[in-house]
mmCIF file of all heavy atoms in Angstrom:
data_model
loop_
_atom_site.group_PDB
_atom_site.id
_atom_site.type_symbol
_atom_site.label_atom_id
_atom_site.label_comp_id
_atom_site.label_asym_id
_atom_site.label_seq_id
_atom_site.Cartn_x
_atom_site.Cartn_y
_atom_site.Cartn_z
ATOM 1 N N GLU A 1 11.674 -0.452 3.841
ATOM 2 C CA GLU A 1 12.340 0.528 2.967
ATOM 3 C C GLU A 1 11.430 1.107 1.941
ATOM 4 O O GLU A 1 11.428 2.280 1.591
ATOM 5 C CB GLU A 1 13.555 -0.053 2.326
ATOM 6 C CG GLU A 1 14.712 -0.221 3.277
ATOM 7 C CD GLU A 1 15.084 -1.699 3.532
ATOM 8 O OE1 GLU A 1 14.206 -2.561 3.457
ATOM 9 O OE2 GLU A 1 16.241 -1.942 3.805
ATOM 10 N N LYS A 2 10.537 0.264 1.401
ATOM 11 C CA LYS A 2 9.560 0.730 0.414
ATOM 12 C C LYS A 2 8.521 1.646 1.066
ATOM 13 O O LYS A 2 8.071 2.637 0.447
ATOM 14 C CB LYS A 2 8.850 -0.467 -0.255
ATOM 15 C CG LYS A 2 9.702 -1.262 -1.210
ATOM 16 C CD LYS A 2 10.116 -0.431 -2.390
ATOM 17 C CE LYS A 2 10.898 -1.257 -3.365
ATOM 18 N NZ LYS A 2 11.283 -0.462 -4.547
ATOM 19 N N VAL A 3 8.156 1.383 2.312
ATOM 20 C CA VAL A 3 7.250 2.286 3.034
ATOM 21 C C VAL A 3 7.846 3.670 3.120
ATOM 22 O O VAL A 3 7.230 4.683 2.785
ATOM 23 C CB VAL A 3 6.861 1.761 4.417
ATOM 24 C CG1 VAL A 3 6.078 2.803 5.183
ATOM 25 C CG2 VAL A 3 6.095 0.482 4.359
ATOM 26 N N ILE A 4 9.118 3.716 3.506
ATOM 27 C CA ILE A 4 9.825 5.010 3.668
ATOM 28 C C ILE A 4 9.946 5.721 2.296
ATOM 29 O O ILE A 4 9.622 6.863 2.146
ATOM 30 C CB ILE A 4 11.189 4.775 4.320
ATOM 31 C CG1 ILE A 4 11.037 4.290 5.765
ATOM 32 C CG2 ILE A 4 12.052 6.065 4.236
ATOM 33 C CD1 ILE A 4 12.250 3.689 6.374
ATOM 34 N N GLU A 5 10.398 4.946 1.317
ATOM 35 C CA GLU A 5 10.652 5.510 -0.023
ATOM 36 C C GLU A 5 9.356 6.030 -0.666
ATOM 37 O O GLU A 5 9.275 7.118 -1.220
ATOM 38 C CB GLU A 5 11.278 4.427 -0.915
ATOM 39 C CG GLU A 5 11.464 4.769 -2.357
ATOM 40 C CD GLU A 5 11.877 3.529 -3.161
ATOM 41 O OE1 GLU A 5 12.637 2.672 -2.652
ATOM 42 O OE2 GLU A 5 11.443 3.448 -4.330
ATOM 43 N N GLN A 6 8.316 5.199 -0.631
ATOM 44 C CA GLN A 6 7.076 5.596 -1.273
ATOM 45 C C GLN A 6 6.335 6.654 -0.553
ATOM 46 O O GLN A 6 5.655 7.497 -1.196
ATOM 47 C CB GLN A 6 6.156 4.339 -1.460
ATOM 48 C CG GLN A 6 6.737 3.365 -2.458
ATOM 49 C CD GLN A 6 6.022 2.030 -2.640
ATOM 50 O OE1 GLN A 6 6.458 1.213 -3.383
ATOM 51 N NE2 GLN A 6 4.937 1.825 -1.921
ATOM 52 N N SER A 7 6.436 6.740 0.768
ATOM 53 C CA SER A 7 5.816 7.852 1.460
ATOM 54 C C SER A 7 6.427 9.184 1.034
ATOM 55 O O SER A 7 5.695 10.170 0.869
ATOM 56 C CB SER A 7 5.881 7.695 3.018
ATOM 57 O OG SER A 7 7.234 7.765 3.448
ATOM 58 N N LYS A 8 7.694 9.194 0.833
ATOM 59 C CA LYS A 8 8.369 10.418 0.316
ATOM 60 C C LYS A 8 7.996 10.707 -1.114
ATOM 61 O O LYS A 8 7.665 11.845 -1.462
ATOM 62 C CB LYS A 8 9.892 10.267 0.460
ATOM 63 C CG LYS A 8 10.379 10.297 1.877
ATOM 64 C CD LYS A 8 11.903 10.047 1.974
ATOM 65 C CE LYS A 8 12.323 9.937 3.422
ATOM 66 N NZ LYS A 8 13.685 9.521 3.536
ATOM 67 N N ASN A 9 8.024 9.653 -1.967
ATOM 68 C CA ASN A 9 7.679 9.848 -3.373
ATOM 69 C C ASN A 9 6.259 10.318 -3.592
ATOM 70 O O ASN A 9 5.969 11.082 -4.510
ATOM 71 C CB ASN A 9 7.923 8.546 -4.169
ATOM 72 C CG ASN A 9 9.370 8.233 -4.291
ATOM 73 O OD1 ASN A 9 10.238 9.024 -4.087
ATOM 74 N ND2 ASN A 9 9.658 6.958 -4.683
ATOM 75 N N TYR A 10 5.303 9.812 -2.803
ATOM 76 C CA TYR A 10 3.929 10.124 -2.924
ATOM 77 C C TYR A 10 3.509 11.370 -2.092
ATOM 78 O O TYR A 10 2.327 11.799 -2.185
ATOM 79 C CB TYR A 10 3.006 8.957 -2.599
ATOM 80 C CG TYR A 10 3.228 7.763 -3.495
ATOM 81 C CD1 TYR A 10 3.264 6.501 -2.951
ATOM 82 C CD2 TYR A 10 3.390 7.912 -4.899
ATOM 83 C CE1 TYR A 10 3.496 5.352 -3.792
ATOM 84 C CE2 TYR A 10 3.572 6.826 -5.691
ATOM 85 C CZ TYR A 10 3.617 5.549 -5.133
ATOM 86 O OH TYR A 10 3.831 4.474 -5.980
ATOM 87 N N GLY A 11 4.424 11.889 -1.297
ATOM 88 C CA GLY A 11 4.163 13.103 -0.527
ATOM 89 C C GLY A 11 3.132 12.909 0.622
ATOM 90 O O GLY A 11 2.366 13.824 0.910
ATOM 91 N N HIS A 12 3.164 11.738 1.234
ATOM 92 C CA HIS A 12 2.319 11.578 2.419
ATOM 93 C C HIS A 12 3.139 10.895 3.525
ATOM 94 O O HIS A 12 4.332 10.577 3.342
ATOM 95 C CB HIS A 12 1.003 10.829 2.109
ATOM 96 C CG HIS A 12 1.179 9.508 1.425
ATOM 97 N ND1 HIS A 12 0.689 9.276 0.159
ATOM 98 C CD2 HIS A 12 1.736 8.352 1.818
ATOM 99 C CE1 HIS A 12 0.937 8.042 -0.192
ATOM 100 N NE2 HIS A 12 1.579 7.444 0.785
ATOM 101 N N SER A 13 2.501 10.732 4.650
ATOM 102 C CA SER A 13 3.201 10.245 5.859
ATOM 103 C C SER A 13 3.639 8.792 5.731
ATOM 104 O O SER A 13 3.022 8.005 5.012
ATOM 105 C CB SER A 13 2.352 10.484 7.064
ATOM 106 O OG SER A 13 1.237 9.565 7.067
ATOM 107 N N PHE A 14 4.582 8.445 6.550
ATOM 108 C CA PHE A 14 5.008 7.047 6.761
ATOM 109 C C PHE A 14 3.806 6.223 7.180
ATOM 110 O O PHE A 14 3.553 5.124 6.693
ATOM 111 C CB PHE A 14 6.122 6.993 7.799
ATOM 112 C CG PHE A 14 6.516 5.624 8.213
ATOM 113 C CD1 PHE A 14 7.526 4.954 7.532
ATOM 114 C CD2 PHE A 14 5.924 4.992 9.278
ATOM 115 C CE1 PHE A 14 7.880 3.663 7.899
ATOM 116 C CE2 PHE A 14 6.249 3.710 9.655
ATOM 117 C CZ PHE A 14 7.274 3.026 8.965
ATOM 118 N N GLU A 15 3.042 6.789 8.144
ATOM 119 C CA GLU A 15 1.862 6.072 8.636
ATOM 120 C C GLU A 15 0.880 5.760 7.555
ATOM 121 O O GLU A 15 0.365 4.640 7.461
ATOM 122 C CB GLU A 15 1.183 6.896 9.729
ATOM 123 C CG GLU A 15 -0.082 6.272 10.270
ATOM 124 C CD GLU A 15 -0.773 7.132 11.329
ATOM 125 O OE1 GLU A 15 -1.375 8.133 10.962
ATOM 126 O OE2 GLU A 15 -0.663 6.806 12.544
ATOM 127 N N ARG A 16 0.590 6.726 6.693
ATOM 128 C CA ARG A 16 -0.375 6.523 5.597
ATOM 129 C C ARG A 16 0.093 5.440 4.640
ATOM 130 O O ARG A 16 -0.685 4.570 4.277
ATOM 131 C CB ARG A 16 -0.588 7.871 4.886
ATOM 132 C CG ARG A 16 -1.929 7.921 4.138
ATOM 133 C CD ARG A 16 -1.920 7.353 2.796
ATOM 134 N NE ARG A 16 -3.212 7.589 2.100
ATOM 135 C CZ ARG A 16 -3.616 6.808 1.165
ATOM 136 N NH1 ARG A 16 -2.887 5.802 0.756
ATOM 137 N NH2 ARG A 16 -4.760 7.037 0.602
ATOM 138 N N GLU A 17 1.355 5.426 4.320
ATOM 139 C CA GLU A 17 1.909 4.439 3.400
ATOM 140 C C GLU A 17 1.870 3.036 4.018
ATOM 141 O O GLU A 17 1.486 2.056 3.377
ATOM 142 C CB GLU A 17 3.286 4.788 2.921
ATOM 143 C CG GLU A 17 3.857 3.886 1.868
ATOM 144 C CD GLU A 17 3.110 3.900 0.561
ATOM 145 O OE1 GLU A 17 2.353 4.904 0.252
ATOM 146 O OE2 GLU A 17 3.245 2.976 -0.255
ATOM 147 N N LEU A 18 2.300 2.917 5.253
ATOM 148 C CA LEU A 18 2.272 1.679 5.965
ATOM 149 C C LEU A 18 0.836 1.110 6.018
ATOM 150 O O LEU A 18 0.591 -0.057 5.741
ATOM 151 C CB LEU A 18 2.837 1.809 7.369
ATOM 152 C CG LEU A 18 2.844 0.597 8.269
ATOM 153 C CD1 LEU A 18 3.720 -0.516 7.686
ATOM 154 C CD2 LEU A 18 3.272 0.925 9.676
ATOM 155 N N CYS A 19 -0.072 1.989 6.407
ATOM 156 C CA CYS A 19 -1.504 1.551 6.502
ATOM 157 C C CYS A 19 -2.053 1.164 5.118
ATOM 158 O O CYS A 19 -2.776 0.190 4.993
ATOM 159 C CB CYS A 19 -2.343 2.667 7.141
ATOM 160 S SG CYS A 19 -1.944 2.872 8.887
ATOM 161 N N PHE A 20 -1.742 1.938 4.103
ATOM 162 C CA PHE A 20 -2.205 1.694 2.738
ATOM 163 C C PHE A 20 -1.724 0.272 2.312
ATOM 164 O O PHE A 20 -2.516 -0.557 1.816
ATOM 165 C CB PHE A 20 -1.711 2.701 1.750
ATOM 166 C CG PHE A 20 -2.019 2.395 0.338
ATOM 167 C CD1 PHE A 20 -3.250 2.739 -0.236
ATOM 168 C CD2 PHE A 20 -1.097 1.722 -0.478
ATOM 169 C CE1 PHE A 20 -3.532 2.457 -1.539
ATOM 170 C CE2 PHE A 20 -1.381 1.416 -1.807
ATOM 171 C CZ PHE A 20 -2.607 1.761 -2.318
ATOM 172 N N LEU A 21 -0.426 -0.014 2.489
ATOM 173 C CA LEU A 21 0.092 -1.317 2.061
ATOM 174 C C LEU A 21 -0.516 -2.453 2.877
ATOM 175 O O LEU A 21 -0.795 -3.541 2.342
ATOM 176 C CB LEU A 21 1.629 -1.300 2.163
ATOM 177 C CG LEU A 21 2.346 -0.349 1.189
ATOM 178 C CD1 LEU A 21 3.839 -0.357 1.479
ATOM 179 C CD2 LEU A 21 2.058 -0.704 -0.262
ATOM 180 N N ALA A 22 -0.718 -2.237 4.151
ATOM 181 C CA ALA A 22 -1.338 -3.312 4.986
ATOM 182 C C ALA A 22 -2.776 -3.577 4.526
ATOM 183 O O ALA A 22 -3.176 -4.773 4.414
ATOM 184 C CB ALA A 22 -1.320 -2.887 6.460
ATOM 185 N N ILE A 23 -3.507 -2.563 4.219
ATOM 186 C CA ILE A 23 -4.887 -2.747 3.759
ATOM 187 C C ILE A 23 -4.895 -3.386 2.371
ATOM 188 O O ILE A 23 -5.683 -4.272 2.106
ATOM 189 C CB ILE A 23 -5.689 -1.432 3.781
ATOM 190 C CG1 ILE A 23 -5.907 -0.936 5.200
ATOM 191 C CG2 ILE A 23 -7.034 -1.563 3.026
ATOM 192 C CD1 ILE A 23 -6.631 -1.942 6.118
ATOM 193 N N HIS A 24 -3.970 -2.974 1.518
ATOM 194 C CA HIS A 24 -3.830 -3.589 0.192
ATOM 195 C C HIS A 24 -3.604 -5.094 0.352
ATOM 196 O O HIS A 24 -4.283 -5.911 -0.240
ATOM 197 C CB HIS A 24 -2.666 -2.911 -0.549
ATOM 198 C CG HIS A 24 -2.549 -3.393 -1.947
ATOM 199 N ND1 HIS A 24 -3.220 -2.820 -2.967
ATOM 200 C CD2 HIS A 24 -1.788 -4.363 -2.492
ATOM 201 C CE1 HIS A 24 -2.891 -3.415 -4.121
ATOM 202 N NE2 HIS A 24 -2.029 -4.392 -3.825
ATOM 203 N N GLY A 25 -2.656 -5.441 1.214
ATOM 204 C CA GLY A 25 -2.349 -6.837 1.461
ATOM 205 C C GLY A 25 -3.565 -7.595 2.061
ATOM 206 O O GLY A 25 -3.849 -8.722 1.698
ATOM 207 N N PHE A 26 -4.232 -6.955 3.021
ATOM 208 C CA PHE A 26 -5.377 -7.552 3.657
ATOM 209 C C PHE A 26 -6.478 -7.867 2.630
ATOM 210 O O PHE A 26 -7.060 -8.970 2.639
ATOM 211 C CB PHE A 26 -5.935 -6.627 4.757
ATOM 212 C CG PHE A 26 -7.252 -7.023 5.342
ATOM 213 C CD1 PHE A 26 -7.321 -8.190 6.123
ATOM 214 C CD2 PHE A 26 -8.367 -6.267 5.145
ATOM 215 C CE1 PHE A 26 -8.555 -8.594 6.658
ATOM 216 C CE2 PHE A 26 -9.592 -6.674 5.711
ATOM 217 C CZ PHE A 26 -9.676 -7.843 6.442
ATOM 218 N N LEU A 27 -6.758 -6.916 1.752
ATOM 219 C CA LEU A 27 -7.800 -7.169 0.733
ATOM 220 C C LEU A 27 -7.363 -8.299 -0.181
ATOM 221 O O LEU A 27 -8.242 -9.078 -0.631
ATOM 222 C CB LEU A 27 -8.083 -5.858 -0.067
ATOM 223 C CG LEU A 27 -8.792 -4.762 0.736
ATOM 224 C CD1 LEU A 27 -8.919 -3.495 -0.082
ATOM 225 C CD2 LEU A 27 -10.146 -5.254 1.231
ATOM 226 N N HIS A 28 -6.067 -8.431 -0.516
ATOM 227 C CA HIS A 28 -5.662 -9.583 -1.289
ATOM 228 C C HIS A 28 -5.938 -10.904 -0.558
ATOM 229 O O HIS A 28 -6.361 -11.907 -1.147
ATOM 230 C CB HIS A 28 -4.143 -9.521 -1.604
ATOM 231 C CG HIS A 28 -3.776 -8.720 -2.786
ATOM 232 N ND1 HIS A 28 -4.306 -8.978 -3.999
ATOM 233 C CD2 HIS A 28 -2.965 -7.693 -2.957
ATOM 234 C CE1 HIS A 28 -3.827 -8.136 -4.913
ATOM 235 N NE2 HIS A 28 -2.961 -7.335 -4.286
ATOM 236 N N LEU A 29 -5.753 -10.912 0.775
ATOM 237 C CA LEU A 29 -6.069 -12.110 1.552
ATOM 238 C C LEU A 29 -7.534 -12.484 1.438
ATOM 239 O O LEU A 29 -7.879 -13.687 1.525
ATOM 240 C CB LEU A 29 -5.738 -11.915 3.038
ATOM 241 C CG LEU A 29 -4.250 -11.753 3.427
ATOM 242 C CD1 LEU A 29 -4.121 -11.671 4.930
ATOM 243 C CD2 LEU A 29 -3.382 -12.868 2.866
ATOM 244 N N LEU A 30 -8.411 -11.485 1.239
ATOM 245 C CA LEU A 30 -9.845 -11.712 1.120
ATOM 246 C C LEU A 30 -10.250 -12.043 -0.320
ATOM 247 O O LEU A 30 -11.431 -12.246 -0.577
ATOM 248 C CB LEU A 30 -10.605 -10.510 1.605
ATOM 249 C CG LEU A 30 -10.373 -10.172 3.097
ATOM 250 C CD1 LEU A 30 -11.265 -8.947 3.491
ATOM 251 C CD2 LEU A 30 -10.703 -11.349 3.978
ATOM 252 N N GLY A 31 -9.289 -12.041 -1.294
ATOM 253 C CA GLY A 31 -9.648 -12.427 -2.636
ATOM 254 C C GLY A 31 -9.741 -11.236 -3.624
ATOM 255 O O GLY A 31 -9.974 -11.439 -4.789
ATOM 256 N N TYR A 32 -9.595 -10.018 -3.140
ATOM 257 C CA TYR A 32 -9.588 -8.844 -4.041
ATOM 258 C C TYR A 32 -8.297 -8.927 -4.879
ATOM 259 O O TYR A 32 -7.276 -9.421 -4.414
ATOM 260 C CB TYR A 32 -9.589 -7.550 -3.272
ATOM 261 C CG TYR A 32 -10.924 -7.227 -2.624
ATOM 262 C CD1 TYR A 32 -11.189 -7.672 -1.338
ATOM 263 C CD2 TYR A 32 -11.851 -6.420 -3.250
ATOM 264 C CE1 TYR A 32 -12.393 -7.383 -0.722
ATOM 265 C CE2 TYR A 32 -13.041 -6.094 -2.615
ATOM 266 C CZ TYR A 32 -13.297 -6.588 -1.321
ATOM 267 O OH TYR A 32 -14.490 -6.302 -0.687
ATOM 268 N N ASP A 33 -8.375 -8.412 -6.098
ATOM 269 C CA ASP A 33 -7.212 -8.400 -6.957
ATOM 270 C C ASP A 33 -7.233 -7.159 -7.860
ATOM 271 O O ASP A 33 -8.242 -6.403 -7.833
ATOM 272 C CB ASP A 33 -7.138 -9.671 -7.821
ATOM 273 C CG ASP A 33 -5.700 -10.119 -8.071
ATOM 274 O OD1 ASP A 33 -4.790 -9.269 -8.026
ATOM 275 O OD2 ASP A 33 -5.511 -11.310 -8.355
ATOM 276 N N HIS A 34 -6.214 -6.962 -8.647
ATOM 277 C CA HIS A 34 -6.162 -5.822 -9.548
ATOM 278 C C HIS A 34 -5.540 -6.220 -10.899
ATOM 279 O O HIS A 34 -4.749 -5.478 -11.463
ATOM 280 C CB HIS A 34 -5.394 -4.652 -8.917
ATOM 281 C CG HIS A 34 -4.108 -5.020 -8.213
ATOM 282 N ND1 HIS A 34 -2.953 -5.203 -8.900
ATOM 283 C CD2 HIS A 34 -3.873 -5.284 -6.918
ATOM 284 C CE1 HIS A 34 -1.994 -5.552 -8.045
ATOM 285 N NE2 HIS A 34 -2.571 -5.606 -6.839
ATOM 286 N N MET A 35 -5.928 -7.352 -11.391
ATOM 287 C CA MET A 35 -5.390 -7.881 -12.643
ATOM 288 C C MET A 35 -6.085 -7.217 -13.874
ATOM 289 O O MET A 35 -5.518 -7.139 -14.915
ATOM 290 C CB MET A 35 -5.565 -9.357 -12.727
ATOM 291 C CG MET A 35 -4.789 -10.130 -11.641
ATOM 292 S SD MET A 35 -3.026 -9.803 -11.622
ATOM 293 C CE MET A 35 -2.526 -10.771 -13.047
ATOM 294 N N THR A 36 -7.287 -6.737 -13.690
ATOM 295 C CA THR A 36 -8.011 -6.018 -14.754
ATOM 296 C C THR A 36 -8.367 -4.597 -14.249
ATOM 297 O O THR A 36 -8.392 -4.387 -13.059
ATOM 298 C CB THR A 36 -9.295 -6.721 -15.141
ATOM 299 O OG1 THR A 36 -10.211 -6.617 -14.042
ATOM 300 C CG2 THR A 36 -9.059 -8.184 -15.500
ATOM 301 N N PRO A 37 -8.593 -3.673 -15.191
ATOM 302 C CA PRO A 37 -8.990 -2.331 -14.710
ATOM 303 C C PRO A 37 -10.232 -2.354 -13.828
ATOM 304 O O PRO A 37 -10.320 -1.566 -12.871
ATOM 305 C CB PRO A 37 -9.284 -1.602 -16.023
ATOM 306 C CG PRO A 37 -8.425 -2.305 -17.044
ATOM 307 C CD PRO A 37 -8.442 -3.729 -16.619
#
């Protein structure tokens, strides 16, 4: 539902949002984070 909602809110495709979130999650698995700027 967030993929669908955010793709509409950000004005890009369902595919782009799904892929973005998957890569975001994948990078977290590798130790990347975004706690600081």
Side-chain angles (χ1 to χ4, degrees):
E1 286 114 331
K2 290 292 185 181
V3 172
I4 294 166
E5 174 189 325
Q6 290 175 182
S7 66
K8 290 176 185 172
N9 289 345
Y10 298 137
H12 54 245
S13 70
F14 173 90
E15 178 182 74
R16 204 274 183 204
E17 186 64 19
L18 178 64
C19 290
F20 174 85
L21 293 175
I23 293 302
H24 185 86
F26 172 68
L27 290 175
H28 275 305
L29 294 183
L30 298 181
Y32 289 87
D33 214 337
H34 45 81
M35 299 302 286
T36 67

